[in-house]
Amino acid sequence: MFLMTTSAQNRDEPPGGHWQPPAGDDLLPPVQPPSAGFIIQLFVVPALIVLVIVAVWLSFNWLVRRTATRPQDLIQGLEQGPSIARWQRASELADMLRNKRFAEFKRSSEAAGHLARILDREIDHGSSAGGMEEGQVTLRYFLTRALGEFEVPEGIDVLLKAAETGRDPREQIVRHGALEAIAVRAFNLRGLEPPQALEHPDLEQTLVRLADDEEPNIRSQTAYTLGQIGTPKAIDRLALMADDADPDTRYNAAVALAHHGNDKGVATLAEMLDPEELATVQRTTNSPTAALNRGVIVQTAMEAAQELSRKNREADLSLVIAALERLAHADPKVLVDAQLPPRVASDARRALEAIARATAARAQQ
């Protein structure tokens, strides 16, 4: 009994005589505010490490760009180096030449000739071992794109050679790039003061051959390029291409004809304005353009029809007008089901008004 009493007294028995164990907080060490050194280790040091890494990356990037701030430096760099560095230089050159800052450089016959010689050599190299590797094909593609930005006659012969060189399916991107480059060159020359025409003794006959190419992608781009050339022979070939089996090819041909005031593609323009026709094209050909860009196709056809009405007072636009009227009064749900934006109806009404104004203006002349 004595021992029990003494033991209770040693444990600081609370009033009332019942002992309780200490609370959890009493068992933990006292909480103290973090020290300055701990905060530095936790936050400041990692932040400084990140800043150093970013600074090193920016410095390296600045040094790389500083070594090739001029297009002539990039062209010179294309003469040597590993393929990955060369196609990156060609890509940067193509982007650089789209900048108005280098308008004067794009009129350099010497620079265009130098780049054309590099592309010509790379096309020939495509027949050797490794010539169809991804890096080599990509290099040739960007070389064509860069060469197309110039506003001089030099280089057209090499672009035509690239457009016709199809030794491997992987080269299709190079052929497409060359045709696009020719179109860009024609557009750029036409925008000069005074305007200039793109001329080359083999230009028309090469494009006419490519208009019958077995690859639909090449025929489609050829139609666009022929539209940019716009010569009588090009227009005659486009009139045939407006009935091509490939939808993208005939669409490009019909739009090009309309912008030149030729009504041979009116039936195809009406097809481009018909949601049911576009859906049929998707089901039968699995065309990604018809499936994903139906709104773009319809809008392009509307603009082409308005341009045709302004340029050709004799054009019979009855098929296009009928298609526009159906769109103008279409139920919004029908347009959504056809994967067309609801604004197509109001755009069709505006197109009809524009065509009516052009018709009235012609009648007064």
Side-chain angles (χ1 to χ4, degrees):
M1 187 68 178
F2 174 78
L3 293 176
M4 291 181 63
T5 303
T6 305
S7 176
Q9 292 174 348
N10 291 339
R11 290 196 299 267
D12 297 323
E13 184 177 286
H18 298 288
W19 178 82
Q20 296 180 358
D25 291 343
D26 296 334
L27 296 176
L28 297 175
V31 177
Q32 298 180 354
S35 65
F38 177 78
I39 293 177
I40 291 175
Q41 291 179 357
L42 185 62
F43 297 105
V44 178
V45 172
L48 289 175
I49 293 174
V50 172
L51 287 175
V52 170
I53 293 173
V54 171
V56 170
W57 181 84
L58 290 175
S59 300
F60 177 77
N61 189 57
W62 176 78
L63 287 173
V64 170
R65 291 184 176 274
R66 188 171 180 268
T67 60
T69 56
R70 303 182 306 167
Q72 52 265 47
D73 296 332
L74 288 171
I75 293 177
Q76 189 60 41
L78 288 168
E79 292 284 4
Q80 55 189 356
S83 60
I84 184 170
R86 295 178 70 208
W87 76 252
Q88 288 175 341
R89 291 191 187 104
S91 173
E92 186 175 353
L93 178 63
D95 290 337
M96 185 179 291
L97 292 181
R98 284 195 288 269
N99 194 312
K100 294 181 179 180
R101 291 172 48 206
F102 303 102
E104 183 177 351
F105 181 81
K106 293 195 294 184
R107 300 187 184 101
S108 170
S109 298
E110 180 181 357
H114 187 182
L115 192 62
R117 289 191 296 273
I118 296 175
L119 175 58
D120 190 44
R121 186 170 64 242
E122 292 300 323
I123 293 173
D124 294 340
H125 176 67
S127 299
S128 60
M132 292 299 166
E133 293 180 356
E134 183 178 0
Q136 296 296 327
V137 173
T138 304
L139 170 62
R140 295 198 290 276
Y141 168 73
F142 282 117
L143 285 174
T144 63
R145 295 292 305 275
L147 191 56
E149 296 294 335
F150 283 87
E151 298 170 353
V152 294
E154 282 76 12
I156 294 299
D157 53 343
V158 181
L159 287 174
L160 292 172
K161 176 181 178 180
E164 286 202 293
T165 303
R167 297 159 292 193
D168 187 279
R170 288 171 289 185
E171 271 189 313
Q172 188 174 152
I173 186 176
V174 182
R175 302 180 66 201
H176 189 280
L179 285 166
E180 185 176 357
I182 295 170
V184 170
R185 180 78 72 93
F187 178 83
N188 288 343
L189 289 175
R190 196 166 58 250
L192 296 178
E193 191 60 42
Q196 299 179 21
L198 181 63
E199 296 178 346
H200 188 277
D202 298 328
L203 179 61
E204 289 182 328
Q205 61 185 12
T206 300
L207 292 178
V208 167
R209 285 197 300 270
L210 291 171
D212 289 324
D213 196 90
E214 62 181 8
E215 292 291 342
N217 187 39
I218 298 301
R219 297 201 307 275
S220 174
Q221 183 58 47
T222 300
Y224 178 80
T225 304
L226 284 168
Q228 292 298 324
I229 301 301
T231 61
K233 191 172 184 178
I235 298 300
D236 290 342
R237 194 64 187 82
L238 285 170
L240 298 176
M241 300 179 78
D243 294 324
D244 194 277
D246 174 60
D248 291 346
T249 300
R250 62 177 180 268
Y251 295 167
N252 279 347
V255 169
L257 287 168
H259 282 281
H260 284 283
N262 189 297
D263 62 354
K264 296 294 181 61
V266 166
T268 301
L269 290 180
E271 174 192 342
M272 297 169 68
L273 295 167
D274 189 336
E276 293 183 1
E277 286 290 340
L278 295 179
T280 300
V281 167
Q282 164 62 13
R283 289 193 300 268
T284 58
T285 66
N286 198 29
S287 169
T289 301
L292 303 178
N293 298 320
R294 293 181 185 176
V296 175
I297 293 173
V298 170
Q299 188 65 41
T300 301
M302 289 183 188
E303 295 172 358
Q306 295 173 65
E307 185 71 6
L308 177 57
S309 70
R310 288 190 290 267
K311 289 187 174 181
N312 187 347
R313 65 179 62 186
E314 305 298 332
D316 181 3
L317 297 176
S318 57
L319 290 176
V320 168
I321 292 174
L324 287 172
E325 288 177 342
R326 287 192 294 271
L327 284 176
H329 300 95
D331 186 282
K333 186 178 183 303
V334 173
L335 296 178
V336 172
D337 292 342
Q339 301 180 19
L340 291 173
R343 71 172 188 275
V344 163
S346 58
D347 290 343
R349 289 191 289 271
R350 282 192 290 270
L352 285 168
E353 293 171 359
I355 293 174
R357 287 194 300 269
T359 303
R362 290 197 304 268
Q364 294 175 358
Q365 293 177 353

